[in-house]
Structure formats: structure tokens, C-alpha cells
Amino acid sequence: MGFASSRMSLMEIQDYLAEHLREVHVICDLELSEEDYRYLSTKVKMLFQFANDNNIVDDYKLSIVVYWVFSMVYWDKQNLGRLEMEQLFEGLPQYKKKYYLDVCMEAFDEYGIYKYPVNYNIPILQAKAIIARHAGVPREEQEEVFSVISRYLECNLVADMVEAVMMELPERTQTIFCCFDDQTKQKVILDIRNLMITCIKGVESKKHFFEQHPYIARNLLEGVLRWCDQQQKLLSMLS
């Protein structure tokens, strides 16, 4: 997107994000490089550090939500397991934490972003789960995730399968999935497995495949198609 190279203001970034969100259903499908994420991160952290007016957070809630999603996508190991969205709230009184969280969650309705159903009643856990759904599986870990799940394509013991898969997932994806409640965790893992099975059986067309799964990240769907193509090539080499 070029936030860093263009030195955009936070308002310019927000306008840009609002425009490009019309083209995707899942926030992680925004083409946000790690450099752009780091630039956005600096802007959002400064906002929280120097904002005394609650309305300022309200004005930039979309940028904050996108920042939270990509803070999961681009987590580094030293911060793994500790959400930056929680770090932003450190030192704030409880009423202000709740207010900021509520304001940021309003971005989903205001900008027409899909709000995945999750089974948490506690606001911070609910927000973490929704943000995690929009973070999905980081691109650089998708191949390893498919490799893990491929070992369970014929497994019928769902609970046992999910537990085993969770233990074998790469670190960043595992940490993202740990933000889900048990039911959501099971759904996400089974959805990926079912996508892989569907792809092995044959996909009518890439366009149709995407249209059938509008609320699964396009980058994940593309990853499944690449994985399937690789499997077919391996089979043809062995036959």
C-alpha cells in the first residue's frame, strides 16, 4: 500500500483503508506490507500516547482495528502470546479501556466489515477472537499449516483431531488460533480441512471457489489451491 514510502498521515491512511476494504471481506486480504504495518503501528501508538480526547480514538477506529489485525499477522517471537491491542490499554482506567474497545468494535458495523460470530461474553475476549478471525493464517505459515492438517484428512474424531492439530501448528498461527473459543477453533480447523478435501476432489473454477467462501480470506483460498496443485504434481511424478 505504500504508507511508509508515501509518509501518509493517519487520516490519509484511514481514507485509503476505507476505500480498499470495499474490495475484500477479510481484513488480512488488504495488501499491507510489514513495512506499512510498522508505520501504521507507530501512528496508532502515538495516537494512544498523546490523545486526551476520547473523540480522537473514535475518529481513527478503522485504522486501530486494521493495526490490531496485522499486529497478529506480523507478530515477532519476542511479543508472541501478548497482544498489542492489550498493551495499548495498559495503565488506563477500566472504564476507559471498555469505552475504547466498544468504539473500535463499532468500526465493523460502520464500515461494513464482517463480524464473525464468537462464543465469548467478555468484551476483550470477544474482540480478540474477532480480530484473530480477520488475521487468519499468516501467508508464510500456510504451507506448514496445510502439511499438518493434511495428516488428518480422513480423521473422523473431530475433538481429538483439533487438539492434535493445535499442538502441531506453527507458532504464530497457533497463537492466533488460541484466541478462539473451542467451538470457533474447531470450525476454523475443519473449514481448512474441508477446503483441502474439496480442492483434491476438483474445483469447478477459481472464481466459483472464491464465491462459495466469501468470508474465508482470499489469500488462504489461494494457498489451498497452490497446495492442491503441488499435490497433483507430486502424484503425477510418482505415477
Side-chain angles (χ1 to χ4, degrees), residues 105-149:
M105 288 298 100
E106 287 172 5
F108 288 88
D109 296 322
E110 188 173 323
Y111 290 92
I113 307 167
Y114 184 66
K115 191 184 288 184
Y116 292 95
V118 294
N119 298 305
Y120 284 127
N121 294 320
I122 300 172
I124 186 64
L125 296 181
Q126 186 180 58
K128 283 168 63 175
I130 294 170
I131 293 295
R133 288 300 307 268
H134 276 276
V137 180
R139 283 181 173 88
E140 67 273 18
E141 291 189 349
Q142 286 179 6
E143 190 173 335
E144 189 175 350
V145 170
F146 299 146
S147 176
V148 169
I149 295 178

Side-chain angles (χ1 to χ4, degrees), residues 1-8 13 33 35-36 38-40:
M1 284 187 172
F3 299 161
S5 59
S6 301
R7 312 305 292 177
M8 289 184 183
I13 291 172
S33 70
E35 183 183 18
D36 289 336
R38 299 293 172 196
Y39 183 76
L40 177 60

Side-chain angles (χ1 to χ4, degrees), residues 3-236:
F3 299 161
S5 59
S6 301
R7 312 305 292 177
M8 289 184 183
S9 68
L10 192 55
M11 181 58 76
E12 289 173 327
I13 291 172
Q14 176 136 308
D15 290 342
Y16 194 87
L17 292 172
E19 180 183 348
H20 284 78
L21 270 170
R22 298 173 192 156
E23 302 166 10
V24 301
H25 292 292
V26 189
I27 292 176
C28 69
D29 278 331
L30 291 170
E31 295 296 326
L32 197 68
S33 70
E34 186 166 1
E35 183 183 18
D36 289 336
Y37 157 67
R38 299 293 172 196
Y39 183 76
L40 177 60
S41 170
T42 301
K43 292 286 187 183
V44 170
K45 287 174 181 175
M46 287 177 65
L47 179 72
F48 273 81
Q49 186 174 353
F50 297 110
N52 294 316
D53 184 351
N54 288 342
N55 291 334
I56 293 178
V57 172
D58 193 2
D59 290 341
Y60 295 106
K61 55 183 170 248
L62 177 61
S63 296
I64 296 168
V65 165
V66 172
Y67 156 69
W68 281 346
V69 169
F70 281 91
S71 73
M72 289 191 176
V73 173
Y74 289 124
W75 258 338
D76 54 40
K77 285 191 176 182
Q78 69 179 47
N79 290 321
L80 212 56
R82 189 162 181 256
L83 279 176
E84 289 194 38
M85 66 186 290
E86 293 172 302
Q87 292 179 45
L88 288 177
F89 295 153
E90 286 179 355
L92 294 176
Q94 195 62 37
Y95 77 91
K96 186 161 277 191
K97 290 180 186 180
K98 185 179 184 306
Y99 173 78
Y100 283 162
L101 197 61
D102 289 345
V103 165
C104 291
M105 288 298 100
E106 287 172 5
F108 288 88
D109 296 322
E110 188 173 323
Y111 290 92
I113 307 167
Y114 184 66
K115 191 184 288 184
Y116 292 95
V118 294
N119 298 305
Y120 284 127
N121 294 320
I122 300 172
I124 186 64
L125 296 181
Q126 186 180 58
K128 283 168 63 175
I130 294 170
I131 293 295
R133 288 300 307 268
H134 276 276
V137 180
R139 283 181 173 88
E140 67 273 18
E141 291 189 349
Q142 286 179 6
E143 190 173 335
E144 189 175 350
V145 170
F146 299 146
S147 176
V148 169
I149 295 178
S150 69
R151 299 197 283 273
Y152 300 92
L153 294 183
E154 297 180 7
C155 178
N156 293 319
L157 299 172
V158 172
D160 290 348
M161 185 205 80
V162 170
E163 185 177 345
V165 167
M166 280 297 298
M167 291 177 65
E168 297 180 59
L169 287 174
E171 196 168 22
R172 193 172 297 172
T173 301
Q174 185 182 88
T175 306
I176 292 171
F177 283 17
C178 281
C179 294
F180 304 147
D181 58 88
D182 289 342
Q183 188 175 334
T184 302
K185 203 178 294 176
Q186 179 174 301
K187 173 176 171 46
V188 170
I189 291 172
L190 288 178
D191 279 351
I192 296 173
R193 187 184 76 156
N194 291 339
L195 286 170
M196 294 167 69
I197 292 171
T198 297
C199 195
I200 289 171
K201 291 179 178 177
V203 173
E204 184 179 326
S205 70
K206 184 176 179 178
K207 180 182 177 182
H208 183 64
F209 189 54
F210 287 165
E211 287 173 348
Q212 283 184 309
H213 309 286
Y215 298 111
I216 294 178
R218 289 177 65 92
N219 73 70
L220 181 67
L221 295 176
E222 288 169 351
V224 170
L225 289 171
R226 284 194 301 272
W227 172 83
C228 194
D229 185 54
Q230 290 169 359
Q231 300 310 302
Q232 291 172 345
K233 285 179 181 176
L234 284 172
L235 285 174
S236 64

